[in-house]
Amino acid sequence: MPITIADVAARAGVSKTTVSRVLNGKGEVHLRTADRVRAVINDLGYVPSARAVGLARGRTRVVGMLVPALTWPWMGEVLQGAADVVEAAGYGMLLFTCTHGDESMRRFASQVSAKSFDGLLVVEPEGTLDYITELHRRGLPVILIDDRGHQPGFPSVRTTNEAGARAAATHLLALGRRRPLVVTGLRRFGCTRERLAGFAGAYAEAGLAIDPDRVVEGDFTFECGRAAVRRLLADGVPFDAVFAHNDLSAAGALQALRDAGRRVPQDVAVVGFDDLPLAGHTHPPLSSVRQPLREMGTAAARLLIAHLAGTPLPEGPTVIPTGFTTRDSTGVT
């Protein structure tokens, strides 16, 4: 049978409260009594629950992380960046998803009420920002990863969506591509609006307007990229490039072009956004705007761990710039 705090108290002839005070270094305990309790602990091989000790000290040494789902193509990179920092700091991590909607959030809220973690990293599940903001207002340290243009009232880590899309446009313009098809993400997301603005802005500066007929709203899936290309081809709308707002929809566009006998990049150049490992394995390999996904997870976790050690949180967002990776889907300028 495992040794309990009650066993230690009985052997030492003291109360469980006294044993707890010795373990946590709180409260006044006579030196001889404390030494006797420690000797019994050693003799019995008692190992206190890390969670119980943490709660007694007012800290759990656990970080919570709330994300929409683990199926998002880039979520693993963000999680790994955060987990590396959290584990290196000697903290544990509790991971929560919202795959079951309100039921998932009720379970998460119960863990918040139980004070199961010291701080929270969040990739915002849709519709939860007000609740997360309220948690921050009540005193829970919160860092938002990928704010999607929401500008929350608490610290966040984000990337340069508009500048990344502008880099994609500049690349395509340098290749002489003047009639791009743009497969966006969901318009209600700030990142979608930023990417569209950056891309259209670069073309406008070159004296070229993006034709509304060549802007198709998607949902970041493979199928939306494939359907957008098929639709424009069926409608006879000419285009010489595709800029998709993520790599998965760009892969769908590549598939539709291949099915239609269009050559990439000779007939149509294709650019994605994220630069996931997938981008290097499409046919042909995909040029893509690189989101610093792992770096964003790392930066958010470092901010939170530093704050838990006493460093004030920054007032504004932490911004990590995008990059651009050229592969065979656009060729080389």
Side-chain angles (χ1 to χ4, degrees), residues 27-277:
E28 294 185 3
V29 179
H30 191 279
L31 183 60
R32 284 187 178 179
T33 301
D35 286 343
R36 186 168 75 253
V37 169
R38 292 190 188 99
V40 171
I41 288 172
N42 288 334
D43 288 345
L44 295 179
Y46 172 64
V47 179
S49 160
R51 174 173 168 76
V53 172
L55 289 173
R57 292 175 176 171
R59 287 287 180 86
T60 64
R61 291 196 68 81
V62 173
V63 167
M65 188 161 186
L66 175 65
V67 303
L70 300 181
T71 53
W72 286 23
W74 50 261
M75 193 61 70
E77 288 293 308
V78 173
L79 284 172
Q80 192 62 61
D84 287 346
V85 173
V86 169
E87 291 174 5
Y91 278 70
M93 179 182 282
L94 276 177
L95 179 63
F96 303 90
T97 71
C98 283
T99 52
H100 295 287
D102 290 343
E103 180 185 347
S104 295
M105 287 307 297
R106 282 193 294 271
R107 290 175 179 171
F108 171 72
S110 71
Q111 295 299 310
V112 172
S113 298
K115 298 183 178 179
S116 298
F117 43 86
D118 300 330
L120 182 65
L121 302 171
V122 181
V123 178
E124 180 213 341
E126 193 168 4
T128 64
L129 186 59
D130 288 346
Y131 172 61
I132 301 302
T133 301
E134 178 63 17
L135 293 181
H136 171 73
R137 190 188 66 78
R138 292 178 186 174
L140 179 68
V142 178
I143 309 289
L144 184 65
I145 303 170
D146 183 28
D147 64 19
R148 300 185 209 159
H150 284 156
Q151 305 297 321
F154 51 88
S156 64
V157 176
R158 59 169 305 177
T159 190
T160 51
N161 284 296
E162 188 167 341
R166 179 175 288 272
T170 300
H171 179 68
L172 290 172
L173 284 165
L175 295 171
R177 308 299 171 131
R178 303 169 66 85
R179 297 178 297 182
L181 160 61
V182 182
V183 184
T184 75
L186 295 165
R187 295 288 181 94
R188 65 179 181 270
F189 288 166
C191 61
T192 296
R193 296 190 295 272
E194 289 172 349
R195 291 172 195 180
L196 187 57
F199 191 82
Y203 267 82
E205 289 171 9
L208 299 169
I210 301 295
D211 187 337
D213 289 340
R214 297 193 189 97
V215 179
V216 179
E217 182 176 6
D219 58 3
F220 298 114
T221 63
F222 180 93
E223 185 54 39
C224 83
R226 180 163 60 180
V229 167
R230 285 177 172 175
R231 189 179 106 192
L232 263 68
L233 290 174
D235 292 347
V237 178
F239 58 95
D240 57 8
V242 176
F243 173 49
H245 278 197
N246 74 336
D247 288 346
L248 197 55
S249 54
L254 286 172
Q255 179 66 57
L257 290 166
R258 186 162 59 252
D259 292 345
R262 300 296 178 96
R263 300 172 302 162
V264 178
Q266 293 91 337
D267 300 326
V268 181
V270 181
V271 175
F273 201 112
D274 286 337
D275 200 21
L276 299 175

